[in-house]
Amino acid sequence: MTPPSADETPMEAAPAKGLAALWPIILITALFFFWGMANNLNDILIPQFKKAFTLTDFESSLVQQSFYLGYFFMAPVAGLLMRRFGYKAAVVTGLCIFAIGAFSFYPGAEFRQYGWLLGSLFVIAAGLAFLETSANPLMTILGDEKHAAFRLNLAQSFNPLGSLVGLWVGQTFILSGLEKLDAADLVREAKAVQMPYIVIGCVVLAWALLVGLSKFPKAATASVAEAEAEKVSMTGLFKHRHFLMGVVAQFFYVGAQVGIWSYTIRYAQAEIGLTDKAAASYVIAALVLFAIGRFAGTALLRVVSATRLLGGFAVVNIALTGYAATVGGQYGLYAMVAASFFMSIMFPTIFATSVRGLGPLTKIGASFVVMSIIGGAVLTAIMGVVSDMSHIRTAIFVPLVCFIVIALYGLGSKSDAAGTALPVSGGH
């Protein structure tokens, strides 16, 4: 398939039709797949690096800390570039940075430098920050405004698919299933990440080239006007209690999600004696339930208010994580996996309800909610410390506390009407 030419469409030109109109949508939809894959490969890297570099649980949790710090620091930079040079430039920049991070896995693994590999993850996340900042609004302008919500929802459906592919790649090509390792085995375990990330880097770089050479609507390449947002003082945000509580709830939600998925393999190893390769199947099952939960939760939102559903799902997860933390064993693992179904609607629901009613402060407020994903780094690290001091099962009390905070936010918020459409946000 040959992409359209690189010439920009003049503003007065007739709307593109057929492949010319569909091609940019295909290119940007793939981004949701890419960052889903990159995010969930981390759940494989944690047990892999723990084994290859003989790490403690806290040291292996640095995988998520490095990754989410990349998001935290680079999201504002991505927003500045997008406003100055447009959505398309932000996408190409993000893909190139992503590819650089993926390629840098090779020397890090070759010389068995854990710090280098953590730096590579930071770079990958920096690239993803550009993609997530630009892809969602870009999808809304790639076609008829009446179908913007449909296009965005369709693109979002590729995110959990990418997550599942990432886990499959990790389980098949990275995890060996070996538990007792000699010196030569440790070298092979470290180098197992090289080829998968080289392939990912090549695919991502090729996609950057396709996006760069392809013709996009003028709105995708023009600078994004933010004059109105700049006139608004950020101090006005602090007058909105529901917004502040939403930022806190999102911090704890991302911490719970990342922590549970990051330590499911370790939990399965400790509680029922599985190998890392076999335990990865439970993370895949969790992602499947997460995807199913998104569809089921969307249907339930037609008859239940968003905040009440959020609070109810959080209460269920308090019970599930409480069981996993206190009872353990095979059924404790089942409870850990089942929690993903009820986490499914939490990120977009917290996002939407926290920025509702902010008016001209919405764009600024949304950037703060996105930055709160730093909870994935902070709380996963705390889980690692708790696990090292006691047991991996005890560490599950951390997401339990997270779900208590989310329940308080959901059940304590002013109830919105059932059936109210919620804007779709990030790929978490």
Side-chain angles (χ1 to χ4, degrees):
M1 180 184 295
T2 304
S5 67
D7 299 332
E8 297 297 338
T9 304
M11 295 186 71
E12 67 273 11
K17 297 181 179 180
L19 179 60
L22 182 60
W23 181 248
I25 295 175
I26 293 173
L27 290 175
I28 301 306
T29 297
L31 304 183
F32 292 79
F33 178 93
F34 289 150
W35 77 61
M37 180 176 60
N39 272 273
N40 287 93
L41 259 173
N42 291 351
D43 302 326
I44 298 295
L45 295 181
I46 287 176
Q48 180 69 10
F49 288 164
K50 177 179 173 61
K51 180 170 59 175
F53 295 98
T54 319
L55 306 174
T56 66
D57 281 329
F58 172 74
E59 289 169 337
S60 67
S61 77
L62 293 175
V63 165
Q64 297 291 22
Q65 293 178 59
S66 300
F67 194 78
Y68 282 96
L69 283 171
Y71 267 103
F72 182 79
F73 287 115
M74 295 306 295
V77 178
L80 290 172
L81 185 142
M82 181 178 68
R83 289 194 290 271
R84 177 66 179 85
F85 298 104
Y87 296 119
K88 182 179 175 181
V91 169
V92 173
T93 301
L95 287 168
C96 290
I97 295 173
F98 184 175
I100 291 170
F103 288 139
S104 68
F105 260 70
Y106 192 93
E110 185 69 23
F111 298 107
R112 298 190 68 240
Q113 294 295 314
Y114 183 49
W116 181 292
L117 292 168
L118 294 178
S120 300
L121 286 168
F122 181 94
V123 174
I124 287 175
L128 297 183
F130 280 82
L131 299 185
E132 292 210 37
T133 302
S134 56
N136 283 289
L138 181 52
M139 282 300 295
T140 66
I141 64 172
L142 293 178
D144 192 331
E145 185 180 358
K146 293 187 299 183
H147 302 128
F150 171 78
R151 289 193 301 275
L152 194 49
N153 275 282
L154 178 63
Q156 284 283 341
S157 69
F158 283 83
N159 182 257
L161 178 60
S163 298
L164 289 169
V165 170
L167 289 170
W168 174 80
V169 168
Q171 183 185 38
T172 305
F173 299 104
I174 295 178
L175 296 179
S176 65
L178 299 176
E179 298 297 328
K180 296 181 179 180
L181 307 174
D182 57 25
D185 291 328
L186 292 175
V187 172
R188 283 195 297 270
E189 293 292 332
K191 292 184 177 182
V193 300
Q194 288 178 318
M195 190 51 64
Y197 275 91
I198 287 295
V199 172
I200 290 170
C202 289
V203 171
V204 169
L205 196 58
W207 217 257
L209 184 63
L210 284 174
V211 173
L213 295 177
S214 296
K215 182 164 57 177
F216 276 67
K218 190 71 175 178
T221 57
S223 60
V224 183
E226 292 288 340
E228 289 303 314
E230 291 172 358
K231 294 177 183 178
V232 181
S233 172
M234 286 192 296
T235 58
L237 286 172
F238 300 108
K239 299 177 182 179
H240 295 271
R241 181 177 178 275
H242 79 283
F243 164 74
L244 297 176
M245 291 300 297
V247 171
V248 173
Q250 198 71 291
F251 175 91
F252 281 97
Y253 166 69
V254 177
Q257 176 195 290
V258 174
I260 287 175
W261 289 351
S262 295
Y263 287 114
T264 294
I265 291 176
R266 281 281 295 117
Y267 187 96
Q269 289 174 307
E271 289 297 309
I272 60 175
L274 292 181
T275 65
D276 53 8
K277 196 177 186 72
S281 297
Y282 284 90
V283 187
I284 294 174
L287 263 292
V288 171
L289 287 177
F290 186 82
I292 295 172
R294 279 243 165 127
F295 289 105
T298 300
L300 285 171
L301 285 171
R302 294 183 177 275
V303 295
V304 182
S305 75
T307 51
R308 291 294 178 263
L309 187 63
L310 173 67
F313 275 19
V315 168
V316 173
N317 272 357
I318 291 170
L320 289 172
T321 51
Y323 186 93
T326 56
V327 179
Q330 182 71 64
Y331 288 102
L333 181 58
Y334 288 156
M336 284 265 289
V337 172
S340 291
F341 179 92
F342 299 97
M343 288 194 294
S344 57
I345 58 109
M346 290 184 178
F347 186 93
T349 303
I350 295 171
F351 188 100
T353 55
S354 62
V355 300
R356 180 177 292 156
L358 294 183
L361 291 166
T362 299
K363 291 182 180 178
I364 301 173
S367 66
F368 277 92
V369 180
V370 171
M371 291 178 72
S372 69
I373 67 172
I374 193 67
V378 175
L379 296 173
T380 305
I382 292 174
M383 289 181 70
V385 171
V386 172
S387 178
D388 289 333
M389 293 176 62
S390 55
H391 191 275
I392 186 64
R393 192 168 70 200
T394 311
I396 307 305
F397 280 109
V398 175
L400 185 153
V401 172
C402 295
F403 290 124
I404 291 174
V405 174
I406 296 164
L408 291 173
Y409 171 75
L411 299 177
S413 297
K414 183 179 179 180
S415 181
D416 51 292
T420 303
L422 295 176
V424 179
S425 61
H428 295 271

